[in-house]
Amino acid sequence: MDLLKDIETLVVRGHIDAASNYPKDLSGKPGVREKVAEALEKGFSPQDILLNALISGMKIVGEKYEKNEIFVPEMLFSAKAMKNGLQQIRPLLVGDVSIRVGTVILGTVQGDMHDIGKNLVGMMLEGAGFEVIDLGINTPPDKFVAMARQHPDALIGMSALLTVTMKNMKAVIDSLRYNGLKNKVMIGGAPVTESFANEIGAEGYSINANQAVSLAKQLLSA
Ligand code: B1M
């Protein structure tokens, strides 16, 4: 348990690994990279590390940012540290999948640079056997539309972390429908809600990456 708390603290402090000089007082000391490896070696499950160290760490980062205790540069280091941890558990979450159950076109909407949650959703989907076409961050509606044209049976998955970029999800749905595309759409991200999904005409909303997998299965089988 202490090891998970240590990782959580290292995410909050933004200390990636022993080679990283940030923050100064942790320079040369083990960072998220080494501690996640140690946790895996000691038998902690990837899900436990994910929920109780990495995601919980980012939650604290958000709270500190809100209270003006940290600023964007510190948030960036924390995001890098978290991503490093995620990379290490990725092979364990994704596994070796040979049978594809469907395709999901995934992207963070236009104007939004947050991609940790989207990447996590992508990993979980891949782990469940989906082919994931990741359009990245700051994705304009046209890019979703072009990919949906090539994959008319694919599910579209959109992520937004900012209240100001949420509205761009509607722009994507409107654009898909305007172009006669019937791809189903699921959305998620911290400020997104079920009622917002209903309001903009998305077929599904998911609060987290695990639920996103069951929702994707449900939407593609219906
Ligand atoms: Co930003 N940021 N950020 N940020 N950032 C938030 C989102 C914020 C809530 C912080 C705060 O004020 N407490 C706030 C938004 C306020 C608002 O709009 N209401 C905020 C702000 C204001 C900003 C800037 C505007 C700051 C500035 O420049 N002044 C700026 C905007 C840049 C831009 O996008 N245009 C900015 C920048 C950044 C960084 C670049 C520094 C960095 C992102 C790095 C990166 O992603 N590569 C960053 C970070 C790290 C955060 C916080 C701290 C953490 C986000 C995160 O990764 N969480 C965040 C605070 C917070 O969310 N508490 C914050 C962990 C991740 C696993 O969770 O992404 O929620 P999440 O994903 C979850 C679920 O939401 C869901 O599943 C995931 C796993 O369970 N989910 C889906 C997500 N997408 C889904 C899609 C689905 C289904 C489920 O289906 C397709």
Side-chain angles (χ1 to χ4, degrees):
M1 190 63 203
D2 278 348
L3 186 50
L4 295 185
K5 273 278 158 230
D6 285 352
I7 299 171
E8 183 186 86
T9 306
L10 289 167
V11 168
V12 176
R13 299 288 317 276
H15 188 48
I16 301 166
D17 56 21
S20 162
N21 292 327
Y22 180 86
K24 270 230 148 33
D25 62 307
L26 295 179
S27 179
K29 294 187 178 153
V32 170
R33 184 196 304 279
E34 291 87 358
K35 288 288 179 185
V36 168
E38 186 185 334
L40 289 171
E41 248 174 58
K42 288 192 168 150
F44 285 88
S45 73
Q47 283 78 7
D48 206 6
I49 300 171
L50 186 60
L51 284 178
N52 300 316
L54 300 175
I55 292 186
S56 58
M58 287 313 282
K59 192 165 172 272
I60 298 172
V61 171
E63 288 160 4
K64 283 185 171 290
Y65 177 77
E66 243 169 70
K67 289 190 236 158
N68 286 328
E69 288 173 13
I70 59 164
F71 301 94
V72 172
E74 286 97 329
M75 264 207 298
L76 264 175
F77 276 107
S78 292
K80 276 190 188 154
M82 156 109 190
K83 280 188 169 185
N84 192 283
L86 267 185
Q87 262 163 24
Q88 284 186 73
I89 59 173
R90 186 176 197 275
L92 302 165
L93 293 176
V94 172
D96 180 17
V97 180
S98 46
I99 301 166
R100 291 292 175 205
V101 297
T103 300
V104 181
I105 298 167
L106 195 61
T108 300
V109 294
Q110 190 158 31
D112 204 317
M113 310 298 166
H114 297 84
D115 67 353
I116 295 173
K118 167 189 71 65
N119 295 345
L120 200 51
V121 170
M123 278 180 210
M124 297 283 193
L125 287 168
E126 279 179 2
F130 287 89
E131 179 196 7
V132 174
I133 301 172
D134 191 343
L135 301 179
I137 54 170
N138 191 20
T139 313
D142 289 0
K143 223 168 153 182
F144 281 102
V145 168
M147 199 50 81
R149 260 208 193 97
Q150 289 178 44
H151 301 271
D153 296 327
L155 179 64
I156 308 287
M158 286 187 274
S159 180
L161 265 285
L162 300 172
T163 42
V164 288
T165 57
M166 274 166 68
K167 64 177 189 313
N168 297 335
M169 293 177 151
K170 181 171 179 342
V172 173
I173 297 176
D174 289 350
S175 209
L176 287 167
R177 304 305 172 234
Y178 177 79
N179 284 283
L181 294 162
K182 295 192 168 68
N183 303 64
K184 287 187 181 162
V185 174
M186 80 171 174
I187 63 172
V192 177
T193 60
E194 179 108 55
S195 66
F196 177 73
N198 292 335
E199 190 186 310
I200 65 170
E203 279 77 11
Y205 155 75
S206 157
I207 193 164
N208 60 37
N210 278 329
Q211 246 189 45
V213 172
S214 35
L215 178 63
K217 285 183 181 161
Q218 193 189 311
L219 290 174
L220 284 183
S221 65

